[in-house]
Amino acid sequence: MSSSSSPSSPSSPSSASSRDASTSASASASAAAAAQESSPPLPSLIRIVSRSSPMALAQVERVRAELALLHPGIRTEVVPVTTAGDRWTGALSALGGKGAFTKEVDAALLAGEADLAVHCVKDVPADRPLPAGTLFAAFLRRDDVRDALVHPGGRSLDQLPAGTRIGTSSVRRIAQLAVTHPHLDCVPFRGNANRRLEKLAAGEADALLLAVSGLERIGEQDRITEILSVEAMCPPIGAGVLALQCREDDTATSAAVAGLNDPDAWRETTAERMFLHVLQGHCNSPIAGFARAERDGRLSLRGRVFSPDGKTVLDAHEWAGPLDPATLGTSVAVALLRQGARELIDSIPH
């Protein structure tokens, strides 16, 4: 809108404000220029290493798509690897737990064969640090954390008759079903989600429990007959979160993917992984939990520890208030330790 008033004199408040604004803008521009000069140049190519399962590759495609929107000039290549966990059909404890799904991926990253690794956070061990020389550069926006029932006849969990065979090797799911549906029979079921669906179709089980986010990633969400609430089936630590891992000295790649980080996912995952780290659970200990960032900035964390037979259930739920995410995770873990979680976890063979 134009104004008919005359220009302000050099000594007028309006002129002073203009000079202040000009000085501020100049300072901001100088600071931005300095920051740009100090930032590492973006790479022209990022090689992404991932497990070679259909779900893992679908997760990589999400990262590539989001990175292309953020930095159209960066090319990406996929470096697929098959991990020991993908090849193994027995109990994970025989391979050292969840690290069986990440060891080869970490090795490719550290050897310089790739620049970026994509992980499901739930598959990354939290009882020990990340491999030396690596870090999480970003956590993507979180997907659905809930579990789903897949039943060819379209029944819900409560409608399944006694003796129904539920295909799952998850100690977390088995323990919780023992609490709520002890009349159902859990049968060992390993393999990626596509393979499990094939085994279900072959009659090796009557129903499956799978992650909602995983089924969505492979385009099989239409198979879902019921989505279980987090009260009915508490999710695993890190459910629905994809982590981007880089080498610590690769500042260019870290800077390139930093814009993909979701602040809520970062806070929630930090709290959850600290919770699991303090508990020092192993692959046979049924531990579940999830954090939730509210719109008003508050953060809550619920943690649960079960005995394998579901006869013992330890529960803690706290709100962060002024606590940072890691402190919240520690606080909830300590609450469970006071209830006897250490003795419970140590009593479970592994």
Side-chain angles (χ1 to χ4, degrees):
M1 179 182 298
S2 61
S3 172
S4 59
S5 61
S6 60
S8 302
S9 66
S11 59
S12 69
S14 175
S15 179
S17 296
S18 298
R19 288 197 304 271
D20 290 344
S22 176
T23 301
S24 176
S26 177
S28 297
S30 299
Q36 188 172 13
E37 290 176 3
S38 63
S39 299
L42 295 178
S44 58
L45 171 68
I46 294 180
R47 298 164 298 165
I48 306 174
V49 62
S50 169
R51 295 164 60 190
S52 55
S53 70
M55 186 183 301
L57 295 177
Q59 292 164 177
V60 169
E61 289 308 309
R62 173 184 170 183
V63 174
R64 296 179 76 184
E66 292 191 15
L67 191 58
L69 289 174
L70 185 65
H71 300 298
I74 296 179
R75 293 183 297 111
T76 55
E77 292 180 356
V78 181
V79 181
V81 299
T82 301
T83 69
D86 294 316
R87 294 187 294 266
W88 184 250
T89 58
L92 277 182
S93 56
L95 286 181
K98 289 187 175 181
F101 290 113
T102 61
K103 192 174 299 181
E104 287 86 351
V105 174
D106 292 335
L109 189 63
L110 288 168
E113 298 168 3
D115 311 300
L116 183 71
V118 180
H119 293 291
C120 285
V121 172
K122 69 178 182 61
D123 293 331
V124 182
D127 57 341
R128 54 186 181 269
L130 289 177
T134 71
L135 53 76
F136 283 143
F139 293 131
L140 271 58
R141 177 185 50 79
R142 192 167 209 169
D143 293 327
D144 201 319
V145 304
R146 296 172 296 176
D147 280 331
L149 177 73
V150 177
H151 184 265
R155 293 188 176 185
S156 68
L157 194 61
D158 289 342
Q159 294 172 337
L160 298 179
T164 298
R165 298 169 302 158
I166 306 295
T168 181
S169 292
S170 163
V171 295
R172 173 189 61 87
R173 289 174 177 141
I174 293 170
Q176 293 185 76
L177 284 179
V179 175
T180 61
H181 296 77
H183 58 286
L184 303 179
D185 295 334
C186 293
V187 295
F189 237 57
R190 286 291 320 285
N192 61 53
N194 298 76
R195 178 62 182 138
R196 294 186 206 185
L197 290 170
E198 291 173 359
K199 293 166 74 173
L200 174 66
E204 295 184 33
D206 301 313
L208 292 181
L209 286 178
L210 293 169
V212 172
S213 61
L215 288 166
E216 290 176 341
R217 288 167 188 165
I218 61 173
E220 295 286 359
Q221 61 269 29
D222 290 344
R223 302 278 198 108
I224 295 173
T225 52
E226 182 186 16
I227 295 179
L228 306 180
S229 69
V230 292
E231 290 75 27
M233 182 64 65
C234 195
I237 299 305
V241 179
L242 297 182
L244 305 185
Q245 181 186 14
C246 304
R247 291 184 301 276
E248 287 181 349
D249 59 2
D250 188 357
T251 56
T253 299
S254 294
V257 302
L260 301 181
N261 183 65
D262 181 82
D264 285 345
W266 187 278
R267 295 177 68 215
E268 292 170 353
T269 305
T270 299
E272 291 175 19
R273 285 181 58 79
M274 180 57 73
F275 162 76
L276 192 56
H277 175 73
V278 174
L279 283 180
Q280 286 292 296
H282 51 75
C283 58
N284 283 345
S285 52
I287 298 174
F290 65 100
R292 179 172 290 158
E294 305 293 346
R295 290 185 178 180
D296 61 6
R298 293 181 301 160
L299 184 70
S300 68
L301 173 62
R302 182 180 188 184
R304 310 189 79 187
V305 179
F306 305 82
S307 61
D309 59 10
K311 292 181 178 178
T312 301
V313 181
L314 308 180
D315 208 332
H317 190 185
E318 296 185 10
W319 292 86
L323 301 182
D324 64 86
T327 304
L328 175 63
T330 300
S331 181
V332 174
V334 169
L336 291 175
L337 291 172
R338 287 173 177 161
Q339 297 178 39
R342 173 82 286 123
E343 294 76 16
L344 177 56
I345 292 170
D346 290 345
S347 70
I348 302 171
H350 65 285

